[in-house]
Amino acid sequence: MYVKNIVHFWMEKGVKGFRFDVINLISKAGFEDDFSVDGDGRSFYTDGPRIHEFLQELARDSFAKDKDIITVGEMSSTTMENCYKYAGEKTGELSMVFTFHHLKVDFMGNEKWVLVPTDFMKLKQLIFDWQINMEKNNAWNAVFWCNHDQPRVISRFGSDDKYHKESGKMLATLIHCLRGTPYIYQGEEIGMTNPHFKSIEQYRDVESLNHYQILQDKGMTKEQALMILDVHSRDNSRTPMQWDDSINAGFTTGTPWIQTADNYTEINVKNSLEDKDSIFYYYQKLIQLRKNYDVIAYGDIKPLLREDKRVFAYERNYKGQKLIVICNFYPTTYEIELPYDLSNYKCILNNYKNEAKAKKIALKPYETLVYCNL
């Protein structure tokens, strides 16, 4: 297996972490021409009949020999049941898995080249279902919003402008306090946004260029097609890292492969480091909380206010330590009533300096609060 040789090559150089791209597609079944089920043949190459055998062999003959190595598998169109094995504590395959079901809540089915509102209740259901069921089966999630194939989360589920800081911090809190290993994608820690390109000439991704024409072939105008690319293109996450307010955001003095977002003069690393209230320093606090409170790393999870259509809330429990996380997902004020009193809890993190401890809390736009009883 050539993959083993590649893993060994990097292990010998001291590499301790491996990400395997769409690794659940390496086992194929038959190759019948049958498009009656999924339309693109994915049922013939996804989570194939020998996939677990292959992954166990790969692990046994390479990275499993070093207990300090961490592995994560990107899983395309996978099932939760397969992930119990891919990332199971004792299955001998991978440390954790990336799954993408929660990032299709602004699609129409599996079709992403449309403009539809985010289905917040579906988002809650998917995150909680994966959290709870992976826990029940002793399996581990990689938790994340952003990567090289996804739009910037602040533009997607938060606020590009008026509540840029508040929504960026809320979205970070929601992910980083979940059960699993959180991932931060380059620029997410400073609140980088979609670039909002105005012309097709600014795009580089072949998928975006193809769909720009496909959408027009379906009857859309160029303007309508660009609006969809503005929301869903993978190029949204592929613009250069915004280091400072100099030319090309300080990334290069040459010509970058793709244009920077126009807001790089405001949203950049230099400004983030100078602003003690920045999204960057908030991410540092989240990382420190995980080190200080074992409940974040090891606790179980219980949904709160599950039927609420505006708030994402949950509690974590571990050896008497209880964490309560509250996130207002919208840009309007909203009052909630918790199932218990917070008078004996300490607010250990927030994005509005609000330490309300009553059962009823009036949440500000995109407000997030984290409470702990110890």
Side-chain angles (χ1 to χ4, degrees):
M1 186 185 277
Y2 290 115
V3 178
K4 295 181 195 175
N5 297 334
I6 296 169
V7 173
H8 277 293
F9 173 85
W10 290 107
M11 285 176 64
E12 289 170 3
K13 293 184 178 297
V15 171
K16 296 294 185 181
F18 293 89
R19 173 194 178 276
F20 296 99
D21 194 68
V22 291
I23 192 65
N24 63 319
L25 307 187
I26 63 173
S27 171
K28 308 297 190 292
F31 291 91
E32 299 86 354
D33 291 330
D34 182 0
F35 294 90
S36 62
V37 179
D38 46 47
D40 60 6
R42 69 181 60 193
S43 59
F44 297 108
Y45 58 80
T46 302
D47 297 327
R50 300 183 66 189
I51 183 62
H52 297 290
E53 173 193 344
F54 290 162
L55 284 178
Q56 288 167 18
E57 178 186 344
L58 173 62
R60 183 179 64 248
D61 294 345
S62 60
F63 53 78
K65 295 179 179 180
D66 184 344
K67 63 180 178 60
D68 292 328
I69 287 179
I70 292 175
T71 57
V72 56
E74 182 194 32
M75 299 294 161
S76 171
S77 301
T78 190
T79 66
M80 197 182 303
E81 290 73 21
N82 272 297
C83 288
Y84 300 157
K85 297 179 181 179
Y86 292 139
E89 182 180 9
K90 297 180 180 179
T91 56
E93 297 186 17
L94 300 166
S95 306
M96 66 193 85
V97 289
F98 285 118
T99 61
F100 300 92
H101 301 73
H102 67 297
L103 295 175
K104 295 182 179 180
V105 295
D106 52 359
F107 289 15
M108 186 178 291
N110 279 321
E111 173 56 48
K112 82 172 186 178
W113 300 102
V114 293
L115 293 179
V116 295
T118 296
D119 189 335
F120 175 62
M121 296 306 289
K122 183 178 180 181
L123 177 70
K124 285 178 69 169
Q125 177 187 341
L126 284 166
I127 291 179
F128 283 141
D129 284 353
W130 277 84
Q131 286 278 297
I132 292 167
N133 288 302
M134 290 288 276
E135 177 190 333
K136 285 180 179 177
N137 288 274
N138 298 311
W140 200 248
N141 284 307
V143 289
F144 71 104
W145 289 126
C146 298
N147 69 16
H148 61 286
D149 288 331
Q150 302 295 329
R152 293 287 180 176
V153 69
I154 287 183
S155 298
R156 189 175 195 175
F157 298 143
S159 170
D160 262 345
D161 41 41
K162 185 176 180 180
Y163 297 110
H164 177 256
K165 272 188 186 180
E166 292 83 359
S167 64
K169 292 176 181 180
M170 180 277 291
L171 291 163
T173 305
L174 194 160
I175 284 293
H176 279 250
C177 292
L178 289 173
R179 179 184 181 274
T181 299
Y183 282 72
I184 303 169
Y185 178 71
Q186 57 190 29
E188 186 177 357
E189 74 277 26
I190 62 169
M192 282 179 60
T193 70
N194 289 353
H196 301 304
F197 290 147
K198 301 296 190 294
S199 166
I200 191 60
E201 283 72 31
Q202 293 173 288
Y203 287 91
R204 297 290 180 267
D205 178 29
V206 65
E207 181 189 48
S208 298
L209 298 177
N210 286 343
H211 274 85
Y212 177 70
Q213 186 58 52
I214 290 170
L215 292 170
Q216 291 180 72
D217 291 343
K218 290 181 177 180
M220 290 189 185
T221 65
K222 292 181 178 180
E223 291 73 22
Q224 289 171 327
L226 280 173
M227 286 176 63
I228 292 177
L229 263 61
D230 179 66
V231 172
H232 290 299
S233 173
R234 298 188 299 188
D235 278 338
N236 284 318
S237 59
R238 299 178 181 185
T239 56
M241 182 66 183
Q242 294 169 198
W243 294 105
D244 56 36
D245 59 0
S246 64
I247 187 171
N248 297 321
F251 184 82
T252 179
T253 55
T255 303
W257 71 92
I258 193 170
Q259 184 179 324
T260 56
D262 289 342
N263 60 17
Y264 76 87
T265 55
E266 292 82 34
I267 301 173
N268 59 61
V269 172
K270 181 175 181 290
N271 287 349
S272 294
L273 295 177
E274 292 173 353
D275 176 11
K276 297 304 178 184
D277 188 45
S278 68
I279 293 173
F280 174 81
Y281 287 117
Y282 192 88
Y283 268 90
Q284 283 195 331
K285 291 177 183 177
L286 282 167
I287 294 167
Q288 190 61 50
L289 282 185
R290 180 169 286 261
K291 297 177 183 296
N292 293 346
Y293 293 87
D294 287 346
V295 65
I296 301 178
Y298 305 113
D300 61 17
I301 185 164
K302 175 185 174 183
L304 296 175
L305 307 176
R306 193 159 189 169
E307 302 306 314
D308 194 292
K309 296 181 179 180
R310 304 184 69 81
V311 170
F312 197 112
Y314 55 91
E315 71 177 52
R316 308 285 310 281
N317 292 277
Y318 181 73
K319 293 184 176 180
Q321 205 173 69
K322 179 178 286 188
L323 193 82
I324 297 172
V325 181
I326 303 167
C327 299
N328 180 5
F329 215 77
Y330 289 90
T332 51
T333 56
Y334 185 68
E335 185 173 271
I336 61 169
E337 183 170 358
L338 293 171
Y340 34 66
D341 198 338
L342 294 172
S343 57
N344 293 323
Y345 287 75
K346 177 183 178 182
C347 183
I348 60 174
L349 189 67
N350 53 61
N351 61 348
Y352 270 102
K353 304 295 184 285
N354 179 8
E355 298 189 15
K357 292 185 178 181
K359 291 182 70 173
K360 287 186 177 182
I361 301 175
L363 296 171
K364 299 178 180 66
Y366 295 112
E367 183 166 12
T368 186
L369 296 154
V370 182
Y371 295 93
C372 190
N373 65 336
L374 296 175

